[in-house]
């Protein structure tokens, strides 16, 4: 699999990219193009032009901003349409891993797990499921896929995106969009551009030079445009000093001028900052309301500060996409019925295909029938379906991994379960309160107020985590004051919405909030006020302490010692709106893993995490299986991989650092999270595995890494320049005793003829292969000319890297098996 941008498009882009030098101040190109001038665009076809001529100004403006849906299905956004002219409404739904409405939908594995399969055809079929279900559930626009690169391991939405590598990300996003839009749902590629962190995402000014942007972050968006994505979502952040949603170099010069995008650009939710500046820069739609593109837009037209043709241009773009999808003439196919069975089958296939075996010593995996297995960890019983925020889906079902393991193990295998790590706390003894009361299940009737004014006695100084469970809306949750400090204040802005996925909801459905404090020995004042509101309130107050943690770990170690094998489920709960603070597993999990592996070295750690994880405990474990957030069929997929019913087919789409001090943004706050509101891509094009190669730093696991239950050899490699790219041919052989999945990867070295910053090597192509034991296959992978090129900031164009280039074939960026060279010519 290689570059998604066609030769036709590449030639068009090369020509259009030779531009005037406004890049001197913006770092981007401003080409001489009709879109870059203050002139109307060409017509969008007679139907659209006819409607545009009949629309009033108010009606036009109503098509440029979100509104309240009178029949909401719980989707993210709504555009009312114009009933008078039979322009239908649009419903816009989140959907990176399934359709996010209040109704049930297939909860697919996280996009990062999909990407781990290195399989564009699987990405296309993933898109087909989302596209069909989106239409079946009354939606018209999908606010997905996300193609921002994984630049920092801390970014809270790494699980929602695809890779640190631009070629792989571009291939997969293009394939997924084909699947989505082939079902009649309009896809929205996001977040344009450089939205690579959640911290200060609505204000951070991301600075990147022209070469870096074109070679890295922009490549996936260009691929999306090439396959006809209907919409683009602007990012929250600034790009080189200007907010992305009013950034003319991005929205007009590059997106439309260079790439020829003919869809519409919308804001991320509440990401607009202006009216005239935004619409003249190329923004077409404000979501979810009309703060800037409502009354202020009408006023700007009426007072002459904005020519009305800018409004017409935006409307034309939106109606043009609607017309392309058959929404204006009634030719859109009838909405299909949901096919939950087909969705579940695809979810299971993706979870198996992306399961990534990182470590496997002494044949710890696959598990064998018979004997005993100790399952440990809270996510052993709680299915970890998805991350929090926009990726949350209401699944048809989600089984417990413990149940799936028991079902697969059969009657001859004894399977036990131990908690190990407490997420939801244990009851506080009534005697700890003065006056005493039972804090485990307090119900406040509707219209009533319950108050407690007393004290909490702590017998030993200790770290306490208070855990509040409640079934009310966040604004009405109990107020708990300890020594005058409110333990659970409402998070500012949308913080309450972005409170997590797994850990923010108890198994019985109550909402959960936590507060960790170091308490001194003695008496502490405690005041609680709980209001029943309109429907009543159930709440409980629990605790996690050093003593309770030690008890949980001891019980887990005992269970591990008594079993032949251990499967320990570890978690990290990520969500939109929040970045991580560390690569370490949260809570007490490191101590838990250390104790369990000391008791039984045949321990497999299953990681339900969002991104890279440090593993100080790795050497003592038998195996590590990365499952990310595996969707509603994750339990069955995990059990299948653990028992060897399928080969773990996934490979890492991001480098895993050793720790918090050895990765591309470590130790440089200007790179991440930014200083005084500014963040710089000072690593330039050396993101991800490119940085590790350039700096000579060894990651914990390299990009592309993933083990199989069999083994593979690579040989007979040759490379040939075709005039349009490289054809790299080699032989792969399954040298083991089982059928398995190989993912050979092609890497290409620097050009000696380019006097530009170049990576030591870049991914040039890859192929996913299913090989029977003993099978040998001759494979040819095309490396596109674009991949062999660098962006020349002097010419504002791609420059082919000619000369003798090294070519490697390997199993990962850190496991390069075969090498050859080839001369690239103009």
């Amino acid at each position: 699999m290689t570059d998604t941008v066609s030769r036709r498009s590449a030639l068009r882009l090369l020509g259009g990219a030779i531009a005037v030098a406004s890049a001197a101040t913006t770092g981007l190109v401003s080409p001489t193009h009709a879109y870059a001038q203050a002139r109307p665009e060409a017509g969008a076809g007679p139907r659209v032009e006819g409607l545009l001529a009949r629309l009033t100004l108010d009606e036009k403006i109503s098509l440029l901003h979100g509104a309240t849906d009178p029949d909401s299905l719980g989707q993210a956004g709504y555009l009312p349409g114009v009933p008078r002219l039979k322009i239908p409404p649009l419903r816009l739904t989140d959907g990176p891993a399934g359709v996010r409405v209040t109704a049930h939908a297939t909860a697919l594995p996280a996009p990062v797990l999909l990407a781990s399969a290195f399989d564009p055809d699987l990405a296309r079929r993933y898109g087909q499921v989302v596209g069909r279900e989106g239409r079946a559930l009354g939606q018209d626009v999908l606010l997905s896929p996300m193609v921002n690169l994984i630049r920092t391991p801390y970014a809270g939405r790494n699980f929602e995106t695809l890779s640190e590598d631009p070629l792989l990300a571009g291939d997969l996003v293009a394939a997924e969009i084909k699947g989505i839009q082939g079902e009649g749902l309009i896809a929205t590629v996001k977040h344009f551009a450089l939205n690579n962190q959640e911290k200060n995402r609505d204000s951070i000014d991301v600075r990147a030079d022209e070469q870096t942007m074109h070679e890295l972050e922009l490549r996936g968006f260009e691929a999306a445009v090439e396959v006809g994505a209907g919409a683009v979502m602007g990012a929250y952040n600034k790009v080189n000093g200007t907010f992305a949603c009013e950034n003319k170099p991005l929205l007009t010069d590059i997106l439309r001028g260079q790439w020829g995008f003919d869809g519409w650009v919308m804001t991320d939710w509440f990401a607009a900052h202006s009216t005239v500046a935004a619409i003249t820069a190329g923004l077409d739609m404000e979501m979810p309301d009309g703060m800037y593109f409502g009354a202020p837009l009408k006023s700007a037209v009426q007072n002459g500060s904005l020519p009305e043709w800018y409004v017409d241009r935006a409307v034309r773009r939106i109606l043009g996409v609607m017309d392309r999808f058959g929404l204006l003439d009634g030719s859109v196919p009838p909405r299909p019925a949901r096919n939950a069975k087909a969705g579940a089958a695809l979810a299971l296939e993706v979870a198996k295909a992306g399961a990534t075996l990182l470590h496997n010593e002494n044949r710890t995996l696959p598990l064998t029938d018979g004997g005993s297995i100790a399952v440990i960890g809270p996510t052993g019983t709680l299915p970890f379906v998805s991350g929090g925020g926009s990726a949350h889906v209401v699944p048809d079902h989600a089984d417990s991994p413990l149940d799936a393991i028991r079902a697969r193990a059969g009657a001859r295998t004894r399977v036990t379960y131990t908690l190990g790590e407490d997420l939801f706390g244990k009851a506080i003894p009534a005697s700890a309160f003065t006056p005493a009361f039972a804090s485990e299940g307090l119900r406040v009737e509707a219209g009533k107020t319950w108050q407690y004014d007393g004290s909490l006695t702590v017998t030993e100084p200790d770290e306490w985590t208070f855990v509040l469970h409640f079934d009310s809306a966040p604004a009405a949750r109990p107020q708990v004051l300890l020594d005058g400090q409110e333990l659970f204040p409402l998070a500012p802005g949308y913080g309450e919405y972005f409170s997590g996925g797994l850990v923010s909801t108890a198994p019985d459905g109550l909402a959960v909030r936590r507060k960790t404090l170091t308490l001194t020995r003695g008496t502490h004042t405690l005041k609680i006020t709980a209001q029943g509101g309109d429907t009543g309130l159930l709440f409980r107050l629990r605790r996690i302490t050093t003593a309770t943690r030690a008890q949980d770990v001891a019980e887990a170690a005992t269970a591990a010692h008594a079993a032949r094998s251990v499967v320990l489920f570890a978690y990290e709960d990520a969500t939109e709106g929040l970045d991580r603070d560390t690569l370490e597993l949260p809570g007490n999990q490191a101590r838990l893993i250390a104790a369990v592996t000391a008791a039984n070295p045949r321990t497999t750690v299953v990681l339900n995490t969002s991104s890279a994880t440090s593993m100080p405990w790795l050497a003592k474990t038998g195996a590590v299986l990365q499952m990310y957030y595996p969707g509603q069929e994750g339990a069955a997929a995990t059990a299948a991989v653990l028992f060897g019913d399928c080969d773990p087919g996934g490979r890492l789409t991001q480098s895993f650092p050793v720790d918090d001090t050895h990765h591309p943004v470590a130790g440089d706050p200007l790179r991440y999270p930014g200083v005084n509101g500014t963040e710089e891509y000072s690593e330039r094009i050396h993101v991800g595995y490119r940085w590790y190669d350039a700096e000579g730093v060894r990651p914990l696991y390299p990009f592309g890494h993933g083990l199989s239950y069999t083994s593979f050899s690579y040989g007979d490699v040759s490379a040939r320049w075709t005039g349009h790219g490289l054809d790299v041919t080699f032989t792969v052989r399954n040298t083991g005793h089982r059928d398995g999945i190989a993912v050979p990867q092609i890497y290409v070295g620097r050009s000696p003829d380019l006097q530009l910053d170049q990576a030591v090597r870049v991914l040039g192509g890859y192929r996913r292969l299913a090989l029977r034991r003993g099978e040998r296959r001759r494979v040819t992978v095309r490396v596109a000319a674009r991949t062999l090129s660098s962006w020349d900031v002097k010419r504002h164009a791609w420059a082919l890297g000619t000369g003798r280039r090294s070519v490697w074939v390997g199993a990962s960026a850190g496991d390069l098996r075969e090498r050859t060279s080839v001369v690239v010519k103009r």
Side-chain angles (χ1 to χ4, degrees):
M1 302 300 171
T2 54
D3 205 321
T4 54
V5 179
S6 70
R7 195 164 30 137
R8 173 186 57 81
S9 175
L11 292 172
R12 184 191 77 225
L13 303 184
L14 284 169
I18 302 173
V20 300
S22 69
T25 55
T26 65
L28 304 177
V29 179
S30 181
T32 305
H33 190 284
Y35 288 116
Q37 311 303 315
R39 296 198 302 267
E41 299 175 12
R47 183 178 297 107
V48 170
E49 294 304 318
L51 287 171
L52 192 58
R54 297 169 63 192
L55 287 165
T56 68
L57 178 60
D58 285 336
E59 288 171 335
K60 292 175 186 176
I61 289 174
S62 75
L63 294 172
L64 303 187
H65 65 82
T68 300
D69 186 349
D71 300 304
S72 177
L73 300 169
Q75 80 277 1
Y78 175 76
L79 200 73
V82 182
R84 180 178 70 86
L85 298 178
K86 297 183 180 180
I87 298 174
L90 291 179
R91 289 183 169 88
L92 302 85
T93 180
D94 289 316
V99 181
R100 192 179 76 86
V101 294
T102 53
H104 287 277
T106 302
L108 294 164
V112 71
L113 183 57
L114 166 69
S116 299
F118 278 67
D119 188 347
D121 183 66
L122 187 62
R124 179 187 58 80
R125 292 189 288 123
Y126 184 101
Q128 284 179 322
V129 168
V130 182
R132 179 186 177 96
E133 293 208 344
R135 294 212 65 240
L137 292 167
Q139 305 303 300
D140 306 292
V141 181
L142 184 74
L143 306 174
S144 185
M146 177 177 174
V147 75
N148 300 105
L149 293 186
I150 297 175
R151 175 178 177 253
T152 167
Y154 303 117
R157 299 182 82 171
N158 282 350
F159 69 95
E160 281 190 62
T161 193
L162 301 166
S163 178
E164 69 187 23
D165 180 76
L167 170 65
L168 180 61
D171 285 351
L172 297 176
V173 77
E176 186 179 347
I177 288 171
K178 287 179 182 178
I180 294 165
Q181 296 195 157
E183 297 297 317
L185 193 68
I186 300 167
T188 307
V189 65
K190 64 184 187 182
H191 309 84
F192 194 57
L194 299 177
N195 184 184
N196 306 109
Q197 67 186 58
E198 295 299 282
K199 190 174 181 65
N200 300 323
R201 68 177 184 175
D202 58 349
S203 61
I204 193 74
D205 182 8
V206 185
R207 302 294 179 107
D209 66 86
E210 186 181 327
Q211 181 186 4
T212 297
M213 289 191 66
H214 279 275
E215 292 189 20
L216 296 179
E217 176 80 354
L218 296 184
R219 187 168 187 174
F221 291 98
E222 183 181 2
V225 169
E226 173 67 15
V227 296
V232 169
M233 180 185 290
Y236 286 109
N237 50 280
K238 296 177 183 177
V239 175
N240 294 324
T242 303
F243 279 109
C245 288
E246 55 187 46
N247 193 305
K248 183 175 177 290
L250 278 178
L251 303 186
T252 293
D253 301 344
I254 290 176
L255 184 62
R256 299 189 185 276
Q258 289 183 32
W259 299 346
F261 176 62
D262 60 1
W264 87 80
V265 178
M266 71 180 78
T267 67
D268 204 334
W269 268 225
F270 302 104
H273 292 272
S274 65
T275 300
V276 174
I279 198 167
T280 56
L283 183 69
D284 304 307
M285 181 187 291
E286 178 188 8
M287 279 291 166
D289 57 24
M291 179 177 293
Y292 294 98
F293 274 26
L297 183 57
K298 181 178 180 179
S299 295
V301 172
Q302 290 178 331
N303 66 26
S305 60
L306 179 75
E308 189 172 345
W309 76 259
Y310 279 107
V311 172
D312 292 347
R313 181 180 73 173
V315 172
R316 180 180 290 112
R317 292 167 174 173
I318 295 165
L319 293 181
V321 176
M322 294 177 69
D323 193 34
R324 172 154 65 100
F325 280 79
L327 295 170
L328 297 183
D329 65 353
S331 64
V332 62
R335 292 192 183 273
R338 272 197 70 216
N339 188 336
K341 183 176 180 180
L346 191 281
L348 178 61
E349 181 183 354
V350 171
K352 289 179 179 179
T356 306
L357 184 61
L358 300 178
H359 176 74
N360 193 21
E361 295 295 318
N362 302 317
R363 298 183 179 178
T364 299
L365 291 180
L367 300 174
T368 56
D369 295 335
S372 59
I373 301 171
V375 177
I376 296 169
T379 48
T381 56
L382 294 173
F384 207 143
V385 176
S386 65
S390 299
H392 177 71
V393 177
V394 181
D396 290 306
H397 69 271
D399 295 333
S400 156
L402 175 62
D403 290 343
I405 290 171
R406 281 179 170 156
R408 173 57 184 82
R412 294 194 307 113
T413 305
R414 184 171 65 92
V415 180
T416 63
Y417 175 73
T418 310
L419 180 64
E421 166 82 353
D422 188 358
L423 292 179
F424 302 109
K426 294 176 173 57
I428 303 173
S431 60
F433 300 106
T434 305
F437 78 100
S439 65
E440 182 56 15
L442 293 162
R443 177 166 292 280
V444 184
E445 298 301 323
K448 303 292 185 181
T449 298
W450 183 90
Q451 291 184 307
Y452 176 83
D453 191 347
S455 62
L456 170 69
T457 300
V458 177
T459 57
E460 297 293 338
D462 197 1
E463 180 183 88
W464 279 47
T465 296
F466 289 92
V467 187
L468 178 69
H469 301 217
F470 58 98
D471 67 357
S472 174
R477 71 168 175 244
Q479 182 186 63
V480 181
L481 286 84
L482 186 75
D483 294 331
Q485 177 185 353
E486 186 173 353
L487 297 186
F488 309 104
L490 291 176
Y494 280 80
E496 286 296 325
Y497 174 74
F498 302 128
S499 60
L502 177 85
V503 301
S504 61
T505 305
D508 62 358
L510 296 188
V512 175
R513 297 294 184 271
R514 296 168 182 79
K515 179 67 175 182
T516 299
L517 299 169
T518 298
L519 299 184
T520 58
R521 178 182 178 182
T523 300
H524 300 263
T525 63
L526 179 67
K527 294 183 178 182
I528 304 174
T529 303
Q531 297 179 345
D534 295 333
T535 58
L537 170 68
L538 173 67
F539 77 97
R540 49 188 176 245
L541 184 64
R542 293 181 172 180
R543 67 172 180 178
I544 302 170
T545 67
T546 300
T548 65
R549 292 188 186 97
Q551 178 184 347
D552 290 336
V553 169
E555 291 174 355
T558 299
H561 182 73
R564 181 177 187 275
S565 299
V566 177
V567 180
L568 192 159
F569 286 84
Y571 74 92
E572 174 258 318
D573 190 28
T575 181
E576 177 183 356
L578 293 174
D579 282 350
R580 303 157 68 190
D581 297 322
T582 177
L583 298 179
E584 297 177 5
L585 292 171
N588 201 43
Q589 293 182 96
R591 295 186 186 92
L592 171 64
I593 295 172
V596 168
T597 53
N600 189 334
R602 291 186 59 81
T603 295
T604 297
V605 176
V606 178
L607 293 171
N608 291 132
T609 55
S610 68
S611 189
T613 302
S614 61
M615 305 179 196
W617 34 263
L618 178 64
K620 299 294 181 66
T621 61
V624 178
L625 176 63
Q626 175 62 259
M627 292 299 297
Y628 297 105
Y629 302 152
Q632 68 179 46
E633 307 300 324
T638 301
V641 174
L642 289 173
F643 283 92
D645 299 334
C646 64
D647 205 41
R651 304 296 185 265
L652 291 181
T653 69
Q654 58 190 301
S655 308
F656 272 36
V658 171
D659 55 33
D660 286 301
T661 62
H662 295 84
H663 57 76
V665 300
D668 188 345
L670 193 55
R671 287 188 184 178
Y672 175 84
V675 176
N676 297 326
T678 299
E679 171 194 278
E680 290 185 1
Y681 269 63
S682 57
E683 72 273 35
R684 294 174 53 80
I685 65 168
H686 306 286
V687 168
Y689 66 87
R690 304 173 183 212
W691 179 87
Y692 288 94
D693 285 342
E695 298 296 324
V697 175
R698 187 171 182 174
L700 179 64
Y701 290 115
F703 173 89
H705 171 75
L707 303 177
S708 166
Y709 290 146
T710 186
S711 56
F712 301 95
S713 67
Y714 301 84
D716 303 323
V717 60
S718 64
R720 181 176 67 89
W721 171 245
T722 68
H724 307 298
L726 296 179
D727 280 349
V728 181
T729 303
F730 54 95
T731 299
V732 186
R733 183 184 173 205
N734 184 339
T735 56
H737 301 289
R738 298 170 56 105
D739 299 349
I741 302 295
V743 184
Q745 299 151 44
I746 310 301
Y747 293 86
V748 182
R750 293 166 168 156
S751 162
D753 297 341
L754 286 182
Q755 303 304 308
L756 299 170
D757 191 15
Q758 298 179 68
V760 174
R761 63 183 64 86
V762 299
L763 180 70
Y766 52 89
R767 184 68 56 80
R768 181 181 178 88
L769 302 171
L771 297 177
R772 297 183 302 275
R773 62 177 183 174
E775 182 180 0
R776 180 195 306 266
R777 192 174 302 175
R778 191 74 172 155
V779 178
T780 297
V781 173
R782 166 65 59 89
V783 179
R786 167 66 64 85
T787 303
L788 300 168
S789 302
S790 296
W791 185 262
D792 186 341
V793 298
K794 293 181 179 179
R795 296 173 52 237
H796 307 301
W798 291 99
L800 180 64
T802 56
R804 184 165 294 279
R805 307 285 295 265
S806 292
V807 178
W808 293 266
V809 178
S812 75
D815 183 8
L816 304 174
R817 307 280 184 88
E818 297 288 326
R819 180 176 180 175
T820 188
S821 65
V822 63
V823 175
V824 175
K825 303 175 182 178
R826 292 193 186 280

